[in-house]
Amino acid sequence: MSEQKRLITAAGLKEVTEELEMLKVVRRKEVAEKIKEAREQGDLAENAEYDAAKDEQRKIETRIEELEELIKNAEVVAGGRGKPRKINVGCKVKVLDKEYNEETEFSIVGSTEANSLEGRISNESPVGAALFGHKVGDTVEVNTQAGTITYEVLGIDRIASA
């Protein structure tokens, strides 16, 4: 089965690679030590520490598999040079909410990097998809669950590389 390529910024790929390395090198050893210590306490059938350590080990191994799959299918978005003319993955976008007259900044990233609390929105989200391909001066209507939001694109820049 061929997996779909996942768009990711260079900074996002670096974060994922660092997390994978930390899980493989540090967390695996820590959990193995916890399991060893729990085994030394005797009866494993009634050993809550052993069960907790095994659960933690399963979670770590699952996350390692997820990250390896993500990296295998990652398509890094090229940063390019100069200011981008159109909104794309890897862009920082400044918009004006026309209804509330408020400026907001979004970083458009691949879905694996999205974190709305940090202003990083996916290119697949309603806002990211609506902004995609637009340029400074464009007015964009975004259909959301809360209703339609109208933005004016004020600026486009590249996300700084990590």
Side-chain angles (χ1 to χ4, degrees):
M1 179 173 97
S2 118
E3 290 290 326
Q4 180 182 0
K5 288 291 183 188
R6 306 290 305 256
L7 295 179
I8 191 167
T9 62
L13 183 61
K14 182 180 180 211
E15 282 181 27
V16 168
T17 304
E18 288 172 353
E19 180 184 355
L20 179 61
E21 186 70 16
M22 186 271 304
L23 289 172
K24 285 181 164 183
V25 174
V26 177
R27 296 293 293 137
R28 269 184 175 163
K29 288 179 184 175
E30 290 174 355
V31 171
E33 188 60 35
K34 286 181 185 178
I35 291 171
K36 180 182 171 199
E37 289 172 10
R39 276 191 182 132
E40 291 171 355
Q41 294 176 5
D43 187 10
L44 297 181
E46 296 179 17
N47 190 330
E49 287 179 29
Y50 178 78
D51 291 339
K54 290 299 279 183
D55 285 344
E56 189 176 354
Q57 183 183 45
R58 276 188 288 279
K59 287 177 186 174
I60 289 170
E61 293 304 321
T62 299
R63 183 64 179 155
I64 287 171
E65 286 178 24
E66 290 171 355
L67 295 173
E68 287 176 337
E69 189 69 18
L70 192 157
I71 291 169
K72 182 175 97 176
N73 294 303
E75 183 175 322
V76 178
V77 178
R81 294 181 180 222
K83 278 192 171 276
R85 292 187 299 166
K86 292 186 177 181
I87 298 171
N88 199 340
V89 174
C91 288
K92 184 178 282 192
V93 183
K94 186 183 229 178
V95 295
L96 174 68
D97 183 323
K98 300 288 263 183
E99 182 179 352
Y100 296 104
N101 200 35
E102 292 179 347
E103 291 183 9
T104 307
E105 280 192 358
F106 299 113
S107 292
I108 310 294
V109 296
S111 60
T112 58
E113 299 171 80
N115 182 335
S116 60
L117 297 175
E118 295 177 3
R120 295 187 324 220
I121 61 171
S122 166
N123 62 309
E124 299 170 9
S125 71
V127 174
L131 291 171
F132 204 85
H134 284 277
K135 56 187 188 272
V136 173
D138 285 356
T139 298
V140 181
E141 287 192 356
V142 181
N143 295 316
T144 69
Q145 291 176 336
T148 301
I149 302 170
T150 304
Y151 289 122
E152 179 184 345
V153 180
L154 300 177
I156 306 170
D157 222 336
R158 298 215 185 278
I159 296 174
S161 297

